[in-house]
Amino acid sequence: MGRVVAVANQKGGVGKTTTAVNLAAALGRLGKKVLLIDLDPQGNATVAIGVDKDSLNGSVFEVLTGELKPKAATVYVEQANIDLMPANGDLTAAEVTLLEEDMGPKRLRKSLKKTRMNYDIIIIDCPPTLNMLTLNALTAADGIVIPVQCEFFALEGLSALMGTIDTVQEQLNATLHVDGILRTMHDRRNNLANDVSNELVTHFGMKVLQTIIPRNVRLAEAPSHGESVLDYDLSSNGAIAYLALGNELVRKTNI
Ligand code: ATP
Ligand code: MG
């Protein structure tokens, strides 16, 4: 049964989508059967992997509202060799519908019950808020990967997120596990980045992943070409880092 991993942090612009897309592509290259779920109405992961978010036949929205089965809302992305359940602005409406339901936070978990049998790993790209969509992801997930940009305010939002994870563990999903805190956009020459990185290790110890994602221009360029960084420039430091992350996650979680 495939492992479900949510990539989440309510802080915006920390590298969630970059991580979800490129980790998915890295695991695809490592021979794993991968489903990437875009759970953000911004649809950034959808666009970044090369799918037109304005002409979707089905999306995660219809899965959450029960109109479509997951398979009918999934497209195969040939270049990256992964499946994608895309999203666009319609998803904002799903959040409102889910808020009105008792089943609200458990919708995605229920939808993926059978689907997860078909994959080694399902990666969920979360929006930058602790809303009903993120709650759905954390309730459906076995593990959470938390991208953190090594900068001054990085730690501040983390305690709120850890609090949410505790609440989800108590009330909705007792087996949710922190697969790792991922340091992103790291610049070795920047003293503050190194300080924050060390502080993360002091606070969270083994929860901090060994792989560090460097600041790399190829990672920023790849989405505008609709390609993962592995297809865009396999020799770049960004591609090498995300392959290392894929390997680390495989070792850590037996995917
Ligand atoms: P949001 O909260 O809006 O969903 P996010 O957490 O998903 O944002 P990304 O979209 O992945 O963050 O990244 C924010 C910006 O930083 C993007 O323009 C992305 O291309 C760029 N970026 C992410 N990681 C790196 C990196 N390691 N090196 C250089 N640029 C990066
Ligand atoms: Mg994003």
Side-chain angles (χ1 to χ4, degrees):
M1 193 164 69
R3 186 175 184 80
V4 180
V5 175
V7 180
N9 186 342
Q10 78 281 12
K11 203 165 154 44
V14 295
K16 292 179 290 293
T17 301
T18 304
T19 296
V21 166
N22 293 303
L23 178 61
L27 290 166
R29 278 208 183 225
L30 293 171
K32 304 297 176 189
K33 187 110 180 43
V34 182
L35 171 64
L36 173 64
I37 299 180
D38 189 349
L39 201 60
D40 184 349
Q42 295 182 101
N44 290 345
T46 300
V47 175
I49 205 73
V51 172
D52 181 3
K53 68 173 177 176
D54 296 321
S55 57
L56 301 175
N57 289 323
S59 73
V60 69
F61 167 71
E62 288 88 0
V63 174
L64 288 172
T65 56
E67 286 166 62
L68 284 181
K69 293 247 159 61
K71 202 169 177 197
T74 300
V75 290
Y76 175 57
V77 182
E78 192 174 354
Q79 191 180 26
N81 185 32
I82 63 169
D83 281 349
L84 170 77
M85 196 184 284
N88 59 25
D90 293 351
L91 191 52
T92 312
E95 215 234 318
V96 179
T97 314
L98 293 172
L99 276 173
E100 291 164 356
E101 281 182 28
D102 288 346
M103 268 291 293
K106 295 186 177 165
R107 273 286 179 166
L108 186 64
R109 185 186 183 92
K110 204 166 161 246
S111 307
L112 294 179
K113 209 170 173 184
K114 282 188 190 143
T115 303
R116 60 187 297 178
M117 306 287 179
N118 302 327
Y119 295 95
D120 295 313
I121 180 153
I122 298 178
I123 296 176
I124 308 172
D125 183 28
C126 293
T129 36
L130 291 175
N131 63 5
M132 183 55 91
L133 293 170
T134 300
L135 213 52
N136 262 271
L138 297 183
T139 305
D142 302 299
I144 169 168
V145 168
I146 307 168
V148 172
Q149 197 179 342
C150 293
E151 54 165 43
F152 184 64
F153 291 112
L155 290 156
E156 209 167 283
L158 266 187
S159 45
L161 180 56
M162 292 301 178
T164 303
I165 293 171
D166 284 346
T167 309
V168 170
Q169 285 167 335
E170 279 162 25
Q171 298 178 8
L172 293 160
N173 179 10
T175 56
L176 178 64
H177 180 259
V178 177
D179 282 347
I181 294 171
L182 176 68
R183 291 164 284 181
T184 63
M185 294 183 239
H186 188 261
D187 179 356
R188 275 187 292 132
R189 295 160 303 182
N190 179 326
N191 289 338
L192 177 61
N194 289 319
D195 289 349
V196 173
S197 172
N198 292 335
E199 208 175 325
L200 280 170
V201 175
T202 308
H203 269 265
F204 297 103
M206 294 289 286
K207 283 204 170 76
V208 180
L209 292 158
Q210 278 173 13
T211 307
I212 299 179
I213 308 299
R215 190 169 278 284
N216 177 250
V217 68
R218 294 300 198 212
L219 283 169
E221 288 169 358
S224 63
H225 296 262
E227 291 180 328
S228 82
V229 75
L230 302 159
D231 290 312
Y232 181 62
D233 185 354
L234 187 57
S235 64
S236 64
N237 286 335
I240 292 165
Y242 276 107
L243 276 170
L245 178 65
N247 275 309
E248 184 175 356
L249 210 63
V250 168
R251 280 199 310 275
K252 248 190 131 167
T253 60
N254 291 323
I255 298 162

